[in-house]
């Protein structure tokens, strides 16, 4: 993207982070923002900063840090740059989840969406091993875990803002 996606303005919100936090707060009692450094945000929120023992920039560190800092046995994870994952998708994932799973993950026509799903504490040793071995492929982790995949048909719901043209497309979709 060339700049911090989390700080991009989105719709009427000053930042994409603010947008996501606002809408997820209507669904969940507590919303956490996983980040490298919370000082870059002006939003009053619950932050989970990555543990400071690594130069890792993969989501793996965020998962380890989250399980170190929360008490819950599972949590719903959504990347900040997926603003169109709606409440209907989240509710269906929650309904399909069970304590016997390691993860319940969204799947779209284009494939698995590893940053849209529920992760259970049972994966902590696997995440720690991934960090230790500097391997960060979430799909590989999910393939080797007790994962249930929930299929969704609307590809636009999983639009991910990795490039400026995708950000522009998202702004147009939001305004329609």
């Amino acid at each position: 993207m060339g700049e911090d996606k989390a700080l991009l303005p989105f719709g009427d919100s000053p930042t994409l982070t603010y947008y996501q936090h606002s809408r997820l707060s209507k669904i969940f009692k507590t919303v956490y923002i996983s980040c490298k450094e919370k000082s870059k945000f002006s939003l009053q929120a619950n932050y989970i900063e990555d543990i400071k023992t690594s130069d890792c920039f993969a989501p793996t560190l965020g998962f380890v840090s989250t399980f170190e800092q929360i008490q819950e046995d599972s949590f719903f994870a959504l990347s900040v740059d997926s603003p169109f994952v709606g409440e209907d998708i989240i509710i269906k994932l929650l309904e399909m989840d069970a304590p016997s799973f390691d993860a319940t993950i969204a799947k779209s026509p284009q494939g698995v969406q590893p940053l849209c799903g529920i992760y259970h504490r049972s994966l902590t040793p696997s995440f720690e091993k991934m960090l230790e071995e500097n391997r960060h492929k979430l799909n590989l982790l999910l393939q080797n875990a007790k994962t249930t995949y929930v299929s969704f048909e609307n590809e636009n719901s999983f639009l991910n803002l990795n490039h400026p043209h995708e950000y522009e497309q998202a702004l147009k979709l939001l305004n329609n």
Side-chain angles (χ1 to χ4, degrees), residues 31-45:
V31 175
Y32 296 95
I33 298 171
S34 175
C35 60
K36 297 279 178 223
E37 178 61 51
K38 69 180 182 181
S39 65
K40 69 180 179 179
F41 299 100
S42 60
L43 176 65
Q44 292 297 314

Side-chain angles (χ1 to χ4, degrees), residues 4 29 32 37 43 55-56 62-63 66 78 90 98-99 103 114 116 118 132 135 137-138 140 142 150 169:
D4 191 335
K29 183 175 79 172
Y32 296 95
E37 178 61 51
L43 176 65
D55 291 331
C56 176
F63 286 104
T66 298
L78 180 65
I90 296 168
C116 179
I118 300 162
E132 182 182 305
R135 291 182 303 111
K137 297 195 182 296
L138 290 176
L140 184 60
L142 295 169
V150 182
Q169 179 185 359

Side-chain angles (χ1 to χ4, degrees), residues 27-85:
I27 302 169
F28 296 101
K29 183 175 79 172
T30 305
V31 175
Y32 296 95
I33 298 171
S34 175
C35 60
K36 297 279 178 223
E37 178 61 51
K38 69 180 182 181
S39 65
K40 69 180 179 179
F41 299 100
S42 60
L43 176 65
Q44 292 297 314
N46 296 302
Y47 292 92
I48 296 178
E49 289 184 304
D50 288 351
I51 50 179
K52 305 293 185 207
T53 60
S54 173
D55 291 331
C56 176
F57 290 98
T60 315
L61 188 57
F63 286 104
V64 171
S65 299
T66 298
F67 278 122
E68 283 187 2
Q69 295 179 48
I70 68 169
Q71 300 300 312
E72 291 79 11
D73 287 327
S74 63
F75 65 88
F76 174 76
L78 180 65
S79 61
V80 72
D81 61 353
S82 296
F84 297 113
V85 171

